[in-house]
Amino acid sequence: MPMSKRMHRPEVSASVDAFLNDHRYVAALTTVRPDGSLHTAPVRFTWDAESGLARVMTVVSSRKARNLLAAPGGRVALCQVQGFTWVTLEGTGTVVTEPARVAEGARRYAERYWSGPPNPPGRVVIEIEVDRVLSLNA
């Protein structure tokens, strides 16, 4: 569950939802560094249309997590591309350390990618409360 009460959960078409849940693809996650420059990294993620949350498993020492910790409530973009089909999820990113929510992120990851995520020390989940969805050919 997201920490805040959401005023607007984005609605996506069945084809966009199917594309976002296709295990064959990864996405690029863009966060903002403390100096204002952008950081983009390829990531595996999960999409939960019911809650409007995208989740990215990572470690607290990663640049993407450090960027969000330095600016709580920071904006992020997650873009999955396959040829000329793409979907971008935009929203607020939060680094979550709560064990139950990290476990939920890992469970969803294993469900999508058919194997569990790495479990290094400092594992966290970035939860993205999606408020904008952009797409082409999906």
Side-chain angles (χ1 to χ4, degrees), residues 1 53 55 57 96-108 123-125 127:
M1 291 264 167
L53 282 179
R55 293 175 176 91
M57 302 303 300
V96 177
T97 59
E98 181 184 316
R101 288 166 61 188
V102 173
E104 178 64 8
R107 183 192 70 75
R108 288 175 179 273
R123 183 167 76 168
V124 296
V125 62
E127 292 182 349

Side-chain angles (χ1 to χ4, degrees), residues 3 10 14 19 23 45 51 55 62 66 72 75 106 113 122 125 132 134 137:
M3 292 178 72
F19 180 70
H23 72 276
F45 73 99
S51 68
R55 293 175 176 91
S62 69
R66 292 190 338 249
R75 299 289 295 171
Y113 295 107
V125 62
R132 181 180 293 156
L134 307 166
N137 297 324

Side-chain angles (χ1 to χ4, degrees), residues 8-13 16 47 49 133:
H8 176 263
R9 181 175 62 228
E11 292 191 26
V12 299
S13 67
V16 166
W47 166 242
V133 178

